[in-house]
Amino acid sequence: MDNGINKLRSFGKFSLDPVKCVLWHDGKPVDLPLKQVELLAVLTENSGEVVTKAELLDRVWQDSFVEESNLSRHIYLLRKMFKEHGEEETLIKTVPRRGYLFTGEIQDLQNTEIIIERHSLTKAVVDLDAGDEFDEPEPASIKPRRRLAAVAGAGVLIIIAAVVIAWYVIPRRAVSVDKVNSIAVLPLRSFSDQEPNSELRIRLTDALITRLGELRKVVVRPTSAVLPFADSAESTIEIGKKLQVDAVVEARLQQEGERLRVTMQMIRTSDGANLWSGQFDGQTGKILDLQDSIADSVSRSLSGAVSDQPEFTKRSTENNDAYEAYLKGRYFWAKREPASLAKAADFFKQAAALDPQFSEAFSGLADTQHLLFSYNIDLRPELIEEAKKNVAHALELKPNSVDALVTLGTIQAGYDWNWAEAEATLARAVAEEPNSPTAQLRYGSLLVRLRRFDEAEAAIRRHMELDPLSVVGKNNLGMVRFCKKDYSAAETLFKDVLDLQSTDSTARWMLSRVHWLEGRKEEAIAEIGDAIANDGDDALAEKFRAKANDQGPEAAIRLLLHEWRTVPPTTNPFALANLSTYVNDTDGAIYWLDRSIKERHPWSLWIASVPEFEPLRGDKRFLAILQRMNLP
């Protein structure tokens, strides 16, 4: 336990806090497993003296039985760390048949607040049951063998000397956060390759981002924006610049059984200054407590940018098991794949069953069901009816839930074709949470379908400000330009998406449509062939390309129309209507559009806005279809 006196040991460019078990190098925390920090604490405590292997094993692994080979491995890794940071590996010397000797020159820095302030170091211990703490050396056990001779026996002089040493030795960082208006919380990383639980780390990241998202005056990048950097080798500052934020929060997770330790720091993007650091202990079954403690500490560190003491809303659930299931649902929901969406639905159902008052569980389930429908995965009408019931219940529990409003508005447009209600609902969601990238995106997507292109572009650009690397945002912005017939700008946007994600089917298909309408049919055929292959049908892709080479682009399109209409279980009537316009088959286009709206196919929403169907606007049958959908 910390007794309020902070003791730092400095050697070279390193500073070790043996109480909080944090090692710093040149002002930045070093990623080290807890046992290696504790091992270094014992060695530096006895600097200049041999510490036997038995004593090290007893001090560091007092409650466990480990072999000497484990100790040797940790010593090797410490030496490797020293070398990587430009220090001599001989800082730790092996004394044959005896033990190990720390050879570095230690300066003990002893002070209460000044040094802590220099590092902005805080610690929160979260509701651990007795006996569940990580093994931390007690201050009483720390008995430095070397003291500054000039201050021996003089308490006042010790404090003065510590202040002086802290000022000149400890790397100083500016801690002003007055200009931090946007932050990104990077996916938690592990201290060790032996802790591969990526799902837990992403769930914790998402929980923290969601909680911090309640800070209205600070924009927090969404989970979807930071996930691509989960395993990135780029520096924190490089990532921060790509995400266009003022500061980045990076963290490491250490797990021992049910126990968790999160070590965090906030880095200013402009100059790499360390604005804040913290260490938090918790348990896997009490993530609610861990999340709240971290969020509270981060918000207080941002007190210069937000109100003096930001207040978070009341928890949506006090049931830890329900919250765990909900976070797992969020994890699979974010993947946007057929199998993962099915898993997400199961976890959201589990969360709702564990706590029937948990609004977010019901809104998460409703949105997952809606996505299964709109992604053309499960087109059963009863699925959407279930989604409507779930979102209605979510709003009964929390009338201003932005997540629920966004899902409700999307269903009102995508299935009910109640455009006025959909617009009102989504506009309300944007008003409730202007910094919600999802609300801005879906509002903009609605406006495109209503041919209000300038308003749509404004909303989607706001989404892109909140999530600068959003692939779906770029695709939707490309759709706006495509529908406005600004084909050059649309092509640039879709190519940007493919540069980021070469297998993105939406961008590939849209690029083919741009090329076809521009008269660049050979390029369109090439993109369609690649899109078919990306979708997993290599045989059809080869057949399609061969037909185009032998008989021309239109023959290849007719082949595709024939192939797709012969597999009814996966027939997409809207796509067949679209392709029919390529070969001037007006009757075929009308037939497939009529099929599309009868089935309430989710792609039917684009009927009024995409340029392929403009030649049909003089056809009474097409106008009747628009009227049935309540479209202008």
Side-chain angles (χ1 to χ4, degrees):
M1 299 294 292
D2 193 345
N3 63 359
I5 302 297
N6 190 58
K7 299 179 180 181
L8 294 180
R9 300 173 191 161
S10 174
F11 53 96
K13 291 186 178 181
F14 287 96
S15 299
L16 172 66
D17 185 334
V19 177
K20 296 182 171 66
C21 288
V22 179
L23 179 68
W24 304 78
H25 180 265
D26 204 15
K28 296 181 179 179
V30 178
D31 294 337
L32 274 185
L34 178 62
K35 291 302 180 185
Q36 288 178 36
V37 181
E38 292 179 342
L39 185 59
L40 187 59
V42 177
L43 289 169
T44 55
E45 173 188 334
N46 297 276
S47 178
E49 299 182 10
V50 177
V51 185
T52 66
K53 294 180 180 180
E55 183 178 354
L56 287 170
L57 290 170
D58 183 60
R59 290 282 300 277
V60 179
W61 287 277
Q62 55 186 337
D63 297 324
S64 306
F65 174 79
V66 294
E67 298 180 356
E68 280 192 12
S69 60
N70 196 29
L71 171 61
S72 301
R73 172 68 178 169
H74 283 291
I75 293 291
Y76 164 78
L77 292 173
L78 279 173
R79 288 170 173 162
K80 182 180 178 182
M81 179 274 296
F82 286 141
K83 184 177 181 180
E84 290 172 350
H85 287 80
E87 295 287 346
E88 295 293 332
E89 296 179 70
T90 53
L91 274 175
I92 301 176
K93 183 178 179 181
T94 300
V95 181
R97 293 184 297 277
R98 293 183 62 194
Y100 297 98
L101 172 71
F102 187 83
T103 63
E105 184 175 347
I106 298 292
Q107 288 178 307
D108 287 328
L109 309 179
Q110 185 168 312
N111 191 21
T112 55
E113 295 180 351
I114 301 223
I115 298 173
I116 293 175
E117 182 178 305
R118 287 293 171 197
H119 291 285
S120 308
L121 182 62
T122 61
K123 176 180 176 182
V125 180
V126 183
D127 192 25
L128 285 176
D129 295 330
D132 279 346
E133 288 115 354
F134 284 80
D135 296 329
E136 291 186 311
E138 295 288 333
S141 69
I142 302 173
K143 302 173 182 177
R145 303 303 174 96
R146 296 184 177 184
R147 299 290 187 186
L148 295 174
V151 297
V156 174
L157 291 180
I158 289 176
I159 295 176
I160 294 173
V163 172
V164 172
I165 293 171
W167 182 261
Y168 288 103
V169 176
I170 301 300
R172 297 184 297 277
R173 297 287 187 181
V175 295
S176 171
V177 293
D178 292 344
K179 296 182 180 179
V180 175
N181 297 312
S182 57
I183 63 173
V185 181
L186 298 186
L188 273 71
R189 297 191 179 189
S190 174
F191 269 114
S192 167
D193 293 337
Q194 281 69 50
E195 298 173 21
N197 196 339
S198 61
E199 182 186 326
L200 173 62
R201 286 184 271 123
I202 296 301
R203 285 193 280 120
L204 280 169
T205 304
D206 185 47
L208 183 56
I209 289 173
T210 301
R211 197 62 164 160
L212 289 174
E214 297 176 17
L215 300 176
R216 291 292 186 94
K217 294 183 181 180
V218 177
V219 176
V220 182
R221 292 288 180 257
T223 305
S224 59
V226 302
L227 281 180
F229 300 100
D231 299 309
S232 175
E234 295 177 273
S235 72
T236 300
I237 293 177
E238 288 173 339
I239 295 173
K241 288 179 178 178
K242 284 187 175 181
L243 291 171
Q244 300 174 30
V245 290
D246 298 323
V248 176
V249 177
E250 61 177 11
R252 294 276 177 171
L253 173 67
Q254 183 177 1
Q255 182 178 6
E256 291 184 6
E258 298 298 311
R259 296 174 291 171
L260 303 173
R261 169 164 288 172
V262 179
T263 303
M264 311 185 74
Q265 62 176 339
M266 184 186 298
I267 305 296
R268 189 160 54 206
T269 305
S270 61
D271 58 5
N274 189 335
L275 301 178
W276 165 87
S277 298
Q279 181 174 288
F280 307 85
D281 290 342
Q283 292 178 284
T284 55
K286 298 182 179 180
I287 288 180
L288 279 165
D289 293 335
L290 183 59
Q291 161 206 282
D292 285 354
S293 290
I294 296 174
D296 180 67
S297 186
V298 173
S299 70
R300 282 189 281 107
S301 76
L302 292 168
S303 59
V306 297
S307 59
D308 291 338
Q309 188 61 44
E311 292 185 3
F312 292 104
T313 60
K314 182 182 177 182
R315 291 176 179 175
S316 295
T317 181
E318 295 295 335
N319 187 315
N320 277 285
D321 290 338
Y323 192 63
E324 281 278 351
Y326 169 74
L327 289 180
K328 289 178 180 178
R330 290 269 304 176
Y331 173 79
F332 287 108
W333 170 85
K335 289 179 176 290
R336 297 296 203 273
E337 298 168 354
S340 66
L341 287 173
K343 286 183 179 179
D346 289 340
F347 279 116
F348 286 134
K349 287 177 183 177
Q350 181 181 335
L354 288 167
D355 183 358
Q357 303 301 309
F358 190 3
S359 173
E360 280 77 0
F362 289 95
S363 59
L365 176 57
D367 201 67
T368 303
Q369 292 167 329
H370 148 260
L371 289 176
L372 285 165
F373 181 84
S374 65
Y375 285 1
N376 202 24
I377 298 169
D378 186 345
L379 297 179
R380 292 177 298 119
E382 53 266 32
L383 184 68
I384 289 295
E385 293 303 323
E386 288 180 27
K388 287 182 182 181
K389 292 177 182 177
N390 287 319
V391 77
H393 187 56
L395 285 167
E396 286 175 9
L397 296 169
K398 185 181 285 189
N400 295 326
S401 168
V402 174
D403 290 343
L405 289 170
V406 166
T407 300
L408 175 62
T410 308
I411 292 173
Q412 287 171 331
Y415 192 80
D416 295 338
W417 304 337
N418 190 336
W419 308 101
E421 285 293 328
E423 182 177 355
T425 301
L426 289 169
R428 181 182 162 198
V430 169
E432 287 285 344
E433 183 47 80
N435 291 336
S436 167
T438 304
Q440 295 284 358
L441 178 68
R442 294 197 186 176
Y443 184 49
S445 184
L446 167 71
L447 295 173
V448 180
R449 276 70 175 262
L450 296 176
R451 300 184 63 83
R452 290 158 56 183
F453 300 133
D454 291 341
E455 294 173 77
E457 182 165 340
I460 295 170
R461 286 197 180 279
R462 176 57 180 155
H463 163 83
M464 294 297 296
E465 290 173 8
L466 297 166
D467 190 354
L469 302 181
S470 170
V471 169
V472 68
K474 281 185 179 292
N475 270 330
N476 274 268
L477 199 55
M479 282 299 303
V480 175
R481 290 295 181 174
F482 175 73
C483 293
K484 290 178 73 171
K485 299 183 183 178
D486 185 354
Y487 297 134
S488 177
E491 179 179 354
T492 298
L493 287 161
F494 292 132
K495 284 184 174 179
D496 284 349
V497 171
L498 291 172
D499 286 341
L500 290 170
Q501 196 168 302
S502 61
T503 58
D504 187 275
S505 292
T506 299
R508 186 74 64 189
W509 279 109
M510 289 309 305
L511 199 54
S512 75
R513 293 168 69 178
V514 168
H515 290 331
W516 191 277
L517 292 175
E518 286 185 314
R520 298 155 60 185
K521 294 182 180 180
E522 287 75 14
E523 293 175 71
I525 291 296
E527 294 294 348
I528 293 173
D530 288 346
I532 294 171
N534 282 345
D535 289 342
D537 197 339
D538 291 327
L540 178 58
E542 285 303 312
K543 193 174 180 180
F544 175 79
R545 292 179 183 125
K547 178 65 75 172
N549 289 334
D550 292 342
Q551 300 179 29
E554 283 79 4
I557 295 299
R558 290 191 179 91
L559 168 70
L560 204 54
L561 283 164
H562 172 74
E563 292 287 335
W564 279 354
R565 70 164 58 103
T566 59
V567 282
T570 55
T571 296
N572 183 330
F574 182 87
L576 291 170
N578 188 288
L579 291 175
S580 295
T581 66
Y582 286 14
V583 293
N584 299 315
D585 182 2
T586 299
D587 290 341
I590 294 294
Y591 169 79
W592 288 114
L593 287 178
D594 183 66
R595 276 276 303 272
S596 184
I597 66 167
K598 282 180 179 177
E599 296 175 8
R600 287 197 179 292
H601 194 281
W603 291 16
S604 304
L605 305 182
W606 294 101
I607 286 177
S609 53
V610 294
E612 286 98 335
F613 299 133
E614 286 198 2
L616 306 180
R617 288 186 176 275
D619 192 306
K620 293 181 180 179
R621 295 172 296 174
F622 181 75
L623 297 177
I625 288 172
L626 293 182
Q627 289 176 346
R628 285 157 61 190
M629 291 188 68
N630 304 315
L631 281 165

